[in-house]
Amino acid sequence: MDEQQLSALISKTAALMEQFDRRCGAIDGRLQTLTGELETVARQVPAIVRQSADGSLATLPALIMDRMSAGLERPVHDYQQRVRTAGTEIEGAARRLSGQLARLERLHRLLLWKTVGAMAACLVLLLGGGAWLSMHYAGVIRDNQLSAELLRAYNGADVTLCDGGRLCANIDTGARRYGERGQYAPVAPR
């Protein structure tokens, strides 16, 4: 993988992370909105129940007086039935709202884990790419060091190109010989 491909991969990863962050922000905004609405409903429920009870209690004495001749049992039973119905509806709405909050929390947790996973994958890719580049360029540096040492030796020796592109050297005739049969002699310095 060359640097241009790695740069493109990093750019794409950054764009995906930005898009992911925007979506997480939008989901957090929705979650905060739902939480605010739940708090508003929770604050309004006691007032509504109180208002309903106040309205019902305000008319109850007159109703009792009007219905006294017919008996007290029927109006009290109707009132209790309405209170039970209202309580059941409020309980159902609270359960549904609680279920939605639980689903949003699960979604938020899932998104959080996906974010952590994506960041971990990016970190592994970056570390792996860095390790690969380090090993690759360490090999290139090692090869260049060997070439540099060889060029320094060539530069210090008294050599030239002869006819036909062959290498000719000024041999140090007084120096010690090397090789199994003494076929190698050191080149004289420049």
Side-chain angles (χ1 to χ4, degrees):
M1 178 181 278
D2 64 346
E3 289 183 19
Q4 193 173 28
Q5 289 173 335
L6 183 60
S7 176
L9 180 61
I10 289 172
S11 296
K12 287 179 183 178
T13 304
L16 286 173
M17 289 304 294
E18 286 179 16
Q19 184 180 14
F20 183 75
D21 285 340
R22 283 194 306 272
R23 288 186 181 171
C24 285
I27 289 172
D28 282 341
R30 288 186 208 144
L31 182 60
Q32 289 176 357
T33 302
L34 285 175
T35 303
E37 290 175 2
L38 176 62
E39 291 173 359
T40 303
V41 168
R43 275 188 253 116
Q44 290 175 353
V45 167
I48 291 171
V49 170
R50 190 178 321 111
Q51 184 181 12
S52 175
D54 288 344
S56 296
L57 288 175
T59 60
L60 187 61
L63 186 62
I64 290 174
M65 294 306 285
D66 290 340
R67 304 274 176 138
M68 187 75 78
S69 60
L72 294 175
E73 194 171 308
R74 182 74 180 161
V76 171
H77 181 268
D78 288 345
Y79 178 74
Q80 288 175 344
Q81 187 63 31
R82 284 186 297 194
V83 169
R84 280 190 214 112
T85 303
T88 303
E89 288 175 3
I90 289 172
E91 186 180 333
R95 265 189 267 132
R96 285 191 303 271
L97 196 53
S98 175
Q100 286 178 347
L101 283 176
R103 282 192 301 274
L104 285 173
E105 285 175 2
R106 283 193 304 271
L107 177 64
H108 187 262
R109 214 175 349 218
L110 178 65
L111 288 174
L112 183 64
W113 279 110
K114 284 182 178 180
T115 301
V116 168
M119 295 200 50
C122 288
L123 182 62
V124 166
L125 282 173
L126 286 173
L127 290 176
W132 180 81
L133 285 172
S134 295
M135 290 188 315
H136 172 72
Y137 284 113
V140 169
I141 289 170
R142 194 175 328 106
D143 292 345
N144 287 339
Q145 284 174 340
L146 292 174
S147 296
E149 288 176 21
L150 186 59
L151 287 174
R152 269 193 292 265
Y154 282 143
N155 201 24
D158 191 8
V159 292
T160 187
L161 286 176
C162 299
D163 292 333
R166 295 185 59 190
L167 191 61
C168 295
N170 180 12
I171 304 295
D172 186 1
T173 55
R176 181 176 152 218
R177 298 286 183 152
Y178 297 94
E180 290 178 9
R181 292 168 285 148
Q183 71 267 29
Y184 297 108
V187 177
R190 282 186 193 241

